[in-house]
Amino acid sequence: MTESPAADRSDRRWWADAVFYQIYPRSFADLSGDGVGDLLGVADRLGYLELLGVDAIWLSPVTRSPMADHGYDVSDPRDIDPLFGGMAAFDALLSAAHDSDIKVVMDLVPNHTSREHPWFEEALRSPTGSAARERYIFRDGRGPSGAEPPNNWRSIFGGSAWTRIAEPDGSPGQWYLHLFAPEQPDLDWNNPEVWADLEKTMRFWLDRGIDGFRIDVAHGMAKPPGLPDMPATPDGSVVELLTGDENDIRFNNPGVHRIHRKIRRVLDDYPDAVAIGEIWVRDGSEFAQYVRPDELHLGFNFALAEAPWSAARIRTAIDESLAAVHAVRAVPTWTLSNHDVDREVTRLAKGADADAGRDIGTKRARALILVELALPGTAFIYNGAELGLPNVDLPDSALQDPVWERSGHTDRGRDGCRVPLPWGGDRPPYEFSTSADTWLPMPDDWASLTTEAQLEDADSTLSLYRTAIELRKSRSEFSGDSIDWYGSRPDALAFRRSAGGLICVVNAGTEPIGLPPGTPLLSSSPLTGEGLLPPDSAAWLVPPAAADRGA
Ligand code: GLC
């Protein structure tokens, strides 16, 4: 029983209890000094990732892109963008990461390409009905002169999901579908060339030695036959945003599973590689279909990233997530945030008064990472969460997310969670870059949040993450793939890893609470003098009988 859970796991499923760290490359570390993060910057900071203790990194897209959606608009999926240092920098990072025992997972974007992809450029030069057009979703418009979009779908980023092109002779022409920005035309997944090209891309990177893919919009590639109109909502409008609602006909069409099975067959040629799908599908049994044994290995589960600070809601999020994947014998995943959603420090402060807000958000975020890391399965950490970074209120003039323009300046988009990481020093750019002109401005009050300020401070959020990851890796109490709940007050929750016995307790109420019997291992805020767990906090305990057999 003293053996670590890592020792007896099959290497083939290294990901099944791994801690992944998501790097948003523009914002992690800039070695070239142009104000935008790059891959040599990541290589330069691998020592930090080793200290943090993560098993793998997931790189948001670094392939060639005009950057209309910061890399999620890919113009060449088999090359690295010069902005990030080109292929040489990628190869250097990959081998340095592997030398440090850190796996590398890349983002794969199969739903759409960039408008500057050679295929789309060819489609624009080619006539209606040509093979070049059929790689994308071109349709004639409605109305006598075709001036109305082919259906009523809205883009996730705002506005119509259709853009009209000029035909090669300059006349107003067909429309093409883009579920995201107009710079991101959707591919037609009924076209065999589209699959053949994705397979080529997958093998290209897997043969180069990467350890897997995060698959962008993995619930989006298949479209409903005939592209019918979406039903209007009661107020007459048409749904815009990514709702995760299984009735949203733009997503989660049954044909998508055939594509995932093909993707899996390629991955099976590389048995250590993993595929993680971005699946915004809330219904548990629908979600589970994506992680059946012949589809994706893992699916992002956003339940904890969406749960408000409520014991009941957190418990439901956990129960529903576990039930969904257990039904198909898949591994659960957990995440508190990513590059598309508010940072947890900010999100969890909602409802608290403005002055106390950031403190309370930080406390709750520290508690929730102990929940995430106590659960069975794979954990994802978004870069900067380990520093307790909040969202940043950026001035209008700094905003870059296409959502800001597309929404007619009504939705500020996702830039607030993408501000570069502070590494050291006491003012912007906090050693992120040698340039003061960082791609998004960094706030003046982040001196206490830098890695330098936090590394040696035992009470910092970074130290909490490091200790928690280390304990999770080395203690036998974290083994097993199920949990049991303890009875608790309605404003608290407590569970236990069924096999290993680790206990995790959360106080989401307003008064300190007592802990179940056991030896405290770690807590997100200091216990009171009487050994009680304060509000907005979580603690890990080792059950009495196991207290002396850990690491
Ligand atoms: C995914 C990405 C998001 C991107 C979108 C379009 O949701 O996470 O950042 O904008 O896909 O590719």
Side-chain angles (χ1 to χ4, degrees):
M1 281 305 282
T2 49
E3 212 178 13
S4 91
D8 58 14
R9 75 186 180 200
S10 151
D11 212 31
R12 294 267 138 112
R13 280 165 49 96
W14 59 268
W15 37 265
D17 61 358
V19 176
F20 280 75
Y21 184 82
Q22 180 193 354
I23 293 187
Y24 195 68
R26 299 178 75 83
S27 301
F28 187 69
D30 168 27
L31 209 69
S32 71
D34 62 358
V36 181
D38 46 50
L39 292 172
L40 290 181
V42 179
D44 189 48
R45 298 289 186 179
L46 279 173
Y48 169 75
L49 298 178
E50 283 183 87
L51 276 180
L52 186 57
V54 299
D55 301 294
I57 54 177
W58 148 34
L59 296 168
S60 278
V62 288
T63 40
R64 271 200 193 254
S65 165
M67 306 289 167
D69 188 20
H70 301 319
Y72 284 99
D73 48 321
V74 179
S75 56
D76 182 348
R78 295 184 286 276
D79 196 9
I80 299 291
D81 200 279
L83 182 72
F84 296 124
M87 200 59 106
F90 180 80
D91 286 339
L93 169 61
L94 185 61
S95 86
H98 285 167
D99 287 347
S100 305
D101 260 338
I102 294 177
K103 313 257 189 199
V104 178
V105 164
M106 292 178 85
D107 226 301
L108 189 68
V109 188
N111 181 68
H112 44 266
T113 69
S114 160
R115 202 154 58 177
E116 293 180 28
H117 189 289
W119 273 4
F120 196 74
E121 291 180 339
E122 189 190 342
L124 290 185
R125 289 192 305 268
S126 307
T128 299
S130 59
R133 289 262 171 109
E134 284 175 2
R135 296 183 186 119
Y136 293 91
I137 303 179
F138 279 91
R139 294 287 183 276
D140 293 335
R142 292 199 282 206
S145 56
E148 300 295 321
N151 71 19
N152 70 354
W153 292 10
R154 311 291 293 168
S155 145
I156 304 302
F157 292 165
S160 171
W162 296 91
T163 292
R164 193 171 197 188
I165 62 160
E167 294 298 336
D169 66 4
S171 61
Q174 286 197 299
W175 298 72
Y176 68 89
L177 179 72
H178 50 86
L179 291 183
F180 296 88
E183 292 87 349
Q184 294 165 296
D186 279 53
L187 288 160
D188 185 344
W189 270 90
N190 294 315
N191 186 327
E193 268 191 88
V194 170
W195 162 250
D197 194 68
L198 188 80
E199 176 171 4
K200 195 166 159 192
T201 299
M202 290 175 67
R203 292 193 188 275
F204 178 88
W205 294 111
L206 290 164
D207 288 340
R208 238 179 158 87
I210 67 155
D211 304 290
F213 297 105
R214 176 266 189 185
I215 301 184
D216 189 60
V217 202
H219 58 317
M221 288 99 89
K223 306 293 185 294
L227 305 178
D229 273 342
M230 286 179 76
T233 53
D235 70 1
S237 63
V238 176
V239 173
E240 198 147 85
L241 294 173
L242 211 44
T243 56
D245 174 353
E246 54 286 353
N247 299 319
D248 180 340
I249 60 172
R250 297 168 300 179
F251 296 97
N252 192 32
N253 284 285
V256 79
H257 296 290
R258 187 180 53 85
I259 303 168
H260 284 301
R261 282 193 281 271
K262 290 170 100 160
I263 290 177
R264 178 57 178 264
R265 283 202 289 275
V266 174
L267 283 159
D268 283 344
D269 287 344
Y270 304 82
D272 286 337
V274 64
I276 310 138
E278 182 200 25
I279 307 165
W280 284 99
V281 173
R282 289 203 180 85
D283 178 86
S285 61
E286 290 286 319
F287 178 93
Q289 303 207 5
Y290 289 82
V291 287
R292 287 178 291 191
D294 60 348
E295 298 198 30
L296 292 159
H297 300 96
L298 298 171
F300 276 103
N301 155 31
F302 300 105
L304 281 184
E306 294 194 308
W309 184 248
S310 136
R313 298 285 292 275
I314 294 170
R315 183 177 165 148
T316 305
I318 294 173
D319 273 340
E320 290 183 354
S321 306
L322 289 175
V325 295
H326 281 169
V328 289
R329 295 171 180 266
V331 172
T333 72
W334 311 99
T335 189
L336 304 185
S337 54
N338 69 18
H339 64 294
D340 291 329
V341 300
D342 282 349
R343 284 189 175 279
E344 52 270 42
V345 164
T346 302
R347 178 172 65 82
L348 295 168
K350 287 198 176 125
D353 79 73
D355 289 340
R358 193 197 285 181
D359 272 4
I360 287 190
T362 303
K363 277 182 145 188
R364 293 175 178 171
R366 288 169 58 100
L368 214 50
I369 189 64
L370 293 197
V371 174
E372 176 178 358
L373 293 174
L375 287 165
T378 312
F380 290 86
I381 295 169
Y382 174 49
N383 61 193
E386 79 282 14
L387 302 176
L389 298 186
N391 262 41
V392 179
D393 266 331
L394 293 162
D396 292 1
S397 60
L399 297 179
Q400 308 217 12
D401 186 348
V403 169
W404 174 236
E405 287 302 325
R406 295 282 301 165
S407 69
H409 296 184
T410 55
D411 182 339
R412 302 185 72 74
R414 302 159 293 177
D415 292 319
C417 71
R418 297 175 173 177
V419 170
L421 263 62
W423 291 93
D426 55 11
R427 69 180 73 101
Y430 302 104
E431 296 170 18
F432 160 73
S433 172
T434 50
S435 164
D437 193 14
T438 53
W439 79 279
L440 289 172
M442 301 176 71
D444 291 327
D445 61 351
W446 274 11
S448 62
L449 295 176
T450 63
T451 60
E452 182 186 59
Q454 297 197 41
L455 266 173
E456 300 299 329
D457 172 2
D459 297 329
S460 69
T461 298
L462 178 55
S463 296
L464 178 76
Y465 267 73
R466 285 178 64 190
T467 310
I469 293 171
E470 172 63 26
L471 289 169
R472 175 183 153 108
K473 252 193 207 165
S474 57
R475 302 279 308 205
S476 59
E477 290 85 2
F478 290 79
S479 60
D481 57 11
S482 58
I483 61 168
D484 300 314
W485 292 101
Y486 284 78
S488 61
R489 314 153 39 119
D491 54 4
L493 58 88
F495 63 86
R496 170 181 190 281
R497 290 287 285 268
S498 319
L502 178 89
I503 302 163
C504 179
V505 185
V506 181
N507 182 358
T510 52
E511 301 296 329
I513 58 170
L515 292 168
T519 308
L521 200 55
L522 185 64
S523 61
S524 65
S525 339
L527 301 183
T528 67
E530 299 78 45
L532 302 177
L533 181 67
D536 299 314
S537 309
W540 285 352
L541 290 90
V542 179
D548 52 0
R549 66 165 194 238

